[in-house]
C-alpha cells in the first residue's frame, strides 16, 4: 500500500556537512553530482539517504541509528519501491528490529585521489574494445563467475586486459561508474588462477586507478569486508578505508 504522505524531493543532502566527515565518502562521491529535480532523498540529524528508484535501492550514510531511521521512513513512505538498502555497518540490525531483512553483505567503500605507485607488469596492460566482449565474458565466467560487471554492461567506459606470450587473456578489469552519480568505479578485476602470484591483479588495479585519477580526479571501488588479500592490495595502492557498509534486501510478503 502506498503511503499517503509524499516523500521529499531534491533535499539538500549536503546541508549538514556529512560529506566532509569520515565515513561519508559514499555521499561525497556517490551523490556529489546533483541528480534531476525528481530525485527522492531524505536527511536527518546525522544521516542522509537517497533513492536509486530504478533499482529500488536506498543509499544511506552517517551514523547507524539515524541512518536506520531514514531507511525505515523511506520503506514506510515508499513501501512498494524500496526493496534494498546500503547503509553504515549496524544499520541492518536496527532495521531488522522492525522489518525482515535478508541477503546481508558487508562491504567497504574505498576511494583515492592519488595515483598509485607503479606496479610490475603494469606495462603489459592493454585496452580492449567491444570486439573482445565474447572473449572477456568467457574469461570472467571461468575465472570470476560472481563478477559484478560484464561486457556490455551499462556504465562501463573501459575494459582492459593482460595477455600471455601466446596471446591468451590472463587477466582483465573494467572501469565502470556508480549508478547514482556517474563517479568512476573499478569493477570485475579477475586473474587466471594459474597466473596468480605474478602481480597481474595489482598491475590492472594500479593501471585503472591511474587512468581514473588522471581523467576524473579520483577512483572508487567496493571491497567485500572479509577479503583480506584485496584489503592489503588496495591499502598498498593508496585507497582510503573509512566507509564500512552493509547491504541487505527488505523482505515483504509476496515480494519476489
Amino acid at each position: 500500500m502506498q503511503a499517503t504522505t509524499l516523500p521529499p524531493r531534491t533535499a539538500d543532502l549536503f546541508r549538514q556537512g556529512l560529506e566532509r566527515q569520515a565515513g561519508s565518502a559514499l555521499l561525497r562521491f556517490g551523490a556529489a553530482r546533483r541528480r534531476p529535480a525528481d530525485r527522492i532523498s531524505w536527511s536527518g540529524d546525522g544521516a542522509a539517504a537517497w533513492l536509486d528508484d530504478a533499482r529500488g535501492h536506498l543509499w544511506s550514510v552517517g551514523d547507524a541509528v539515524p541512518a536506520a531511521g531514514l531507511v525505515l521512513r523511506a520503506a514506510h513512505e515508499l513501501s512498494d519501491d524500496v526493496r534494498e538498502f546500503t547503509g553504515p555497518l549496524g544499520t541492518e540490525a536496527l532495521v531488522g528490529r522492525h522489518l525482515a531483512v535478508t541477503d546481508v553483505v558487508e562491504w567497504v567503500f574505498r576511494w583515492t585521489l592519488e595515483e598509485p605507485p607503479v606496479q610490475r607488469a603494469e606495462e603489459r596492460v592493454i585496452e580492449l574494445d567491444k570486439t573482445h566482449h565474447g572473449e572477456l565474458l568467457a574469461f570472467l565466467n571461468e575465472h570470476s563467475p560472481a563478477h559484478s560487471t560484464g561486457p556490455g554492461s551499462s556504465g562501463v567506459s573501459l575494459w582492459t586486459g593482460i595477455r600471455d606470450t601466446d596471446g591468451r587473456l590472463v587477466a582483465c578489469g573494467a572501469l565502470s561508474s556508480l549508478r547514482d552519480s556517474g563517479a568512476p568505479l573499478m569493477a570485475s578485476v579477475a586473474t587466471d588462477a594459474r597466473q596468480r602470484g605474478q602481480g597481474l591483479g595489482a598491475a590492472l588495479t594500479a593501471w585503472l586507478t591511474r587512468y581514473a585519477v588522471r581523467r576524473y580526479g579520483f577512483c572508487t571501488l567496493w571491497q567485500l569486508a572479509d577479503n583480506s588479500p584485496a584489503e592489503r592490495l588496495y591499502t598498498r595502492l593508496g585507497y582510503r578505508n573509512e566507509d564500512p557498509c552493509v547491504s541487505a534486501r527488505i523482505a515483504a510478503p509476496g515480494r519476489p
Side-chain angles (χ1 to χ4, degrees):
M1 185 175 87
Q2 289 285 356
T4 56
T5 302
L6 293 176
R9 294 180 182 271
T10 63
D12 185 357
L13 300 179
F14 302 91
R15 189 173 297 159
Q16 301 178 70
L18 281 173
E19 79 283 1
R20 295 190 294 272
Q21 298 180 14
S24 291
L26 183 56
L27 171 58
R28 182 162 67 256
F29 296 125
R33 301 180 187 181
R34 295 298 198 272
R35 290 293 301 277
D38 63 349
R39 180 176 68 179
I40 300 174
S41 58
W42 296 259
S43 60
D45 185 15
W50 63 101
L51 180 64
D52 177 351
D53 50 2
R55 291 175 56 202
H57 193 106
L58 187 78
W59 299 92
S60 63
V61 299
D63 296 326
V65 172
L70 294 181
V71 173
L72 290 168
R73 177 182 170 188
H76 171 72
E77 293 177 345
L78 294 173
S79 58
D80 291 336
D81 299 318
V82 178
R83 293 174 171 262
E84 54 191 36
F85 64 90
T86 294
L89 198 61
T91 305
E92 79 290 357
L94 294 166
V95 172
R97 295 177 183 177
H98 305 275
L99 298 173
V101 298
T102 64
D103 303 324
V104 176
V105 181
E106 294 184 10
W107 301 87
V108 180
F109 180 71
R110 306 193 66 159
W111 54 277
T112 184
L113 307 176
E114 306 293 336
E115 292 187 30
V118 175
Q119 303 296 300
R120 64 186 177 98
E122 201 173 331
E123 75 283 352
R124 294 174 58 187
V125 177
I126 57 173
E127 296 185 27
L128 302 173
D129 58 31
K130 62 182 181 182
T131 65
H132 302 102
H133 280 187
E135 181 185 19
L136 281 164
L137 182 59
F139 182 85
L140 286 167
N141 285 340
E142 179 178 357
H143 300 289
S144 182
H147 57 274
S148 60
T149 300
S153 297
S154 62
V156 174
S157 59
L158 177 68
W159 279 98
T160 59
I162 295 177
R163 297 188 183 279
D164 64 12
T165 55
D166 295 325
R168 294 186 307 108
L169 195 64
V170 291
C172 72
L175 190 66
S176 185
S177 59
L178 288 170
R179 181 184 176 97
D180 196 56
S181 68
L185 175 75
M186 194 183 321
S188 294
V189 175
T191 304
D192 185 328
R194 295 164 294 188
Q195 303 289 329
R196 287 174 186 163
Q198 300 183 34
L200 303 184
L204 273 169
T205 301
W207 193 99
L208 286 165
T209 302
R210 196 180 323 282
Y211 180 99
V213 169
R214 288 180 177 178
R215 283 158 181 78
Y216 306 105
F218 64 100
C219 191
T220 69
L221 59 84
W222 287 102
Q223 174 209 316
L224 283 169
D226 60 356
N227 190 337
S228 297
E231 166 75 23
R232 292 191 293 270
L233 172 61
Y234 298 145
T235 298
R236 178 161 59 87
L237 295 182
Y239 277 86
R240 303 282 292 272
N241 181 0
E242 299 175 352
D243 291 71
C245 302
V246 63
S247 296
R249 289 184 60 82
I250 297 175
R255 177 180 291 177

